[in-house]
Amino acid sequence: MAKAKSAFVCSECGAQVPRWQGQCPQCHAWNTLSETIIESGPSAGSRFAALAGQTSRLQPLSSLQPREEPRQPTGLDEFDRVLGGGLVAGGVVLIGGDPGIGKSTLLLQALSNLSAAHKVVYVSGEESGEQVALRAHRLQLPPSELQMLAEINLERILHTLRESRPRVAVIDSIQTVYSEALQSAPGSVAQVRECAAQLTRFAKQSGTSLILVGHVTKDGTLAGPRVLEHIVDTVLYFEGDTHSSFRLIRAFKNRFGAVNELGVFAMTERGLRGVSNPSAIFLSQHSQQVAGSCVLITQEGTRPLLVEVQALVDASQSPNPRRLSVGLEPTRLAMLLAVMHRHAGVVCFDQDVFVNAVGGVKITEPAADLAILFAIVSSLRDRPLRRGLAVFGEVGLAGEIRPAPRGQERLKEAAKLGFDVAIVPKANAPKQAIDGLKVIAVDRVEEALEKMRELE
């Protein structure tokens, strides 16, 4: 088969040049040229032929019958939760994370479970077969029929997958795979885009569940073109500190399930183990109540979690007090301090303020605002909050307390874990009493802080 021709195309103006150069000769933009395959001849469209083998036709939406995609559980409950119940035939999953955080370990465990009943293939572009076998031995995985392929050539990988037709295939990693149709090195924008498109096409045509492992940049985002995340069906991120034993998997995109689902794992000598009660790892164990600590009821996908929010307020030694937030939205801290000063009369302009979420979890929802304010006021006054208190609520610039979604599920989770008092937005007040939980509804910042003082 003749080799496809490629050229370098400017992403700004669309100009083509035969070889890469730093500046586009047409629009004079820098670093905008990327390699792209130029199709020509009668077989130009053969790589991306229609899936059904026939021309699509117009159909009324009402005549189409929706069907639920069957799921294939991986044997790891927390992984299945993030996937939306399991792997889908023909679905493509992209999982990224920092080096050494446990991506290959998790997938090797999942494939070991799946190999008991299905044909599965593990394609490794970074490790040899002996290294993968050594990891399986170290994890004490049972003997399995897992098929191993150490290869980085896309054409050879596709040929092997078409011959074996596995139920599940893992490509570890997409940045190491290269196509002979392109001259650029593996990991380049053109190679990642072309290889991901060809592998995704194979998965849709054959019904194989495909999992791609992706590298991340120093900013924590997936390396390669942004189109990589648009091509796949599910995008998962591995989070957590490599110095901690806990790992979090978060879904940022899922065409077959809920977004922002969270799976919690603990790294052990025998691999990753799911944590059935993740709220326990996000709550510090204090022998007595301490100032600056407040329990937040947050929501990750369909799962309510209780997370301890800690704050430290100290007199500033510089003319510009520091505002530092770890695990929480950093841009909201200054806004919350201004709202607290304007509407509740609490002054922190001469204080350093540090806020942290316990356990390494990252909380991005605005419902954490009220817990952050409570923790800051508790540290500023050096008075601990009442034991058994949990809060949630978004704070607006006008000083109002806005409701949060799924308030009923949050309150039931707090009651289940033994909390007896909750301060929540008035719109989230339950219509029926929850056994063992006293709910205090507030609609203003000053009212919320007053109720907090009354409970001390």
Side-chain angles (χ1 to χ4, degrees):
M1 184 179 67
K3 198 175 198 179
K5 295 182 179 180
S6 65
F8 290 85
V9 180
C10 177
S11 59
E12 296 292 331
C13 66
Q16 292 185 8
V17 292
R19 58 179 58 85
W20 186 88
Q21 48 189 308
Q23 187 181 37
C24 174
Q26 297 294 330
C27 65
H28 305 293
W30 289 92
N31 297 322
T32 57
L33 296 175
S34 60
E35 189 178 15
T36 305
I37 292 180
I38 301 177
E39 304 287 1
S40 61
S43 61
S46 61
R47 296 188 306 120
F48 298 106
L51 286 179
Q54 59 185 4
T55 305
S56 300
R57 57 185 176 85
L58 287 175
Q59 293 176 296
L61 183 61
S62 58
S63 67
L64 300 176
Q65 296 297 323
R67 58 187 177 91
E68 185 67 25
E69 295 290 345
R71 307 285 177 158
Q72 178 59 54
T74 63
L76 302 173
D77 294 339
E78 292 295 308
F79 193 32
D80 290 337
R81 168 191 284 271
V82 180
L83 291 171
L87 296 171
V88 176
V92 183
V93 179
L94 175 64
I95 179 168
D98 294 332
I101 204 165
K103 302 184 295 296
S104 300
T105 299
L106 175 72
L107 295 177
L108 189 59
Q109 289 180 244
L111 290 184
S112 177
N113 296 333
L114 289 167
S115 63
H118 306 284
K119 177 181 285 189
V120 294
V121 172
Y122 184 91
V123 180
S124 176
E126 300 178 348
E127 298 176 302
S128 65
E130 291 75 11
Q131 289 175 306
V132 177
L134 182 62
R135 176 186 288 119
H137 178 72
R138 186 173 66 250
L139 298 175
Q140 301 181 21
L141 297 178
S144 64
E145 296 299 322
L146 170 62
Q147 302 294 312
M148 175 69 199
L149 175 65
E151 183 58 68
I152 62 174
N153 182 274
L154 174 66
E155 286 74 21
R156 296 175 189 169
I157 292 173
L158 288 175
H159 177 73
T160 303
L161 294 179
R162 289 191 182 101
E163 283 192 339
S164 59
R165 300 188 64 85
R167 180 71 177 270
V168 181
V170 170
I171 309 296
D172 187 6
S173 64
I174 187 62
Q175 275 81 12
T176 62
V177 181
Y178 77 96
S179 171
E180 293 178 349
L182 298 174
Q183 298 178 357
S184 54
S188 63
V189 172
Q191 287 284 8
V192 171
R193 181 175 55 215
E194 176 70 12
C195 294
Q198 292 291 342
L199 288 168
T200 302
R201 200 66 179 177
F202 161 77
K204 300 301 181 185
Q205 290 174 336
S206 64
T208 298
S209 299
L210 187 65
I211 303 177
L212 307 177
V213 178
H215 294 169
V216 295
T217 64
K218 61 182 180 181
D219 298 327
T221 58
L222 282 164
R226 194 68 176 180
V227 71
L228 181 61
E229 298 182 38
H230 293 281
I231 291 175
V232 302
D233 300 310
T234 305
V235 179
L236 308 180
Y237 276 87
F238 234 121
E239 300 176 359
D241 187 359
T242 53
H243 302 290
S244 172
S245 61
F246 296 109
R247 303 287 187 270
L248 310 176
I249 299 184
R250 194 186 302 272
F252 281 84
K253 172 188 176 181
N254 195 347
R255 289 173 178 158
F256 305 111
V259 207
N260 283 330
E261 277 288 3
L262 188 73
V264 185
F265 292 89
M267 179 65 80
T268 67
E269 294 181 355
R270 298 188 59 181
L272 291 161
R273 294 290 181 268
V275 178
S276 58
N277 183 21
S279 296
I281 69 175
F282 302 133
L283 297 175
S284 293
Q285 303 297 325
H286 301 293
S287 57
Q288 58 184 3
Q289 288 294 92
V290 295
S293 174
C294 180
V295 175
L296 161 70
I297 315 174
T298 185
Q299 187 83 18
E300 293 289 348
T302 60
R303 163 182 277 175
L305 293 176
L306 273 72
V307 180
E308 182 178 354
V309 176
Q310 295 179 341
L312 176 62
V313 181
D314 192 23
S316 177
Q317 304 300 321
S318 66
N320 296 318
R322 300 183 63 188
R323 306 285 188 256
L324 182 62
S325 177
V326 179
L328 297 157
E329 194 66 33
T331 56
R332 297 185 68 87
L333 180 55
M335 184 198 76
L336 292 175
L337 292 175
V339 171
M340 189 169 59
H341 179 208
R342 176 66 177 81
H343 297 284
V346 180
V347 181
C348 292
F349 62 82
D350 58 345
Q351 306 284 326
D352 290 331
V353 181
F354 307 94
V355 180
N356 176 45
V358 172
V361 66
K362 294 181 181 179
I363 302 173
T364 57
E365 69 163 351
D369 292 348
L370 195 57
I372 295 174
L373 288 187
F374 278 21
I376 291 173
V377 173
S378 173
S379 178
L380 181 64
R381 299 172 63 229
D382 198 21
R383 296 282 298 274
L385 300 179
R386 181 190 186 278
R387 184 182 292 272
L389 172 66
V391 304
F392 68 88
E394 178 185 353
V395 176
L397 289 178
E400 77 277 14
I401 307 296
R402 297 179 177 273
R406 296 180 177 267
Q408 193 80 3
E409 289 84 350
R410 298 175 193 242
L411 294 174
K412 289 181 179 179
E413 179 72 10
K416 186 176 70 174
L417 293 177
F419 289 82
D420 56 355
V421 180
I423 298 180
V424 303
K426 184 164 290 186
N428 286 124
K431 296 180 180 179
Q432 296 181 349
I434 299 177
D435 293 340
L437 184 66
K438 177 184 177 183
V439 179
I440 302 174
V442 294
D443 59 358
R444 299 285 305 171
V445 170
E446 55 270 28
E447 180 186 1
L449 294 180
E450 182 62 30
K451 296 293 183 183
M452 181 197 75
R453 297 187 184 99
E454 292 176 1
L455 291 174
E456 292 179 353

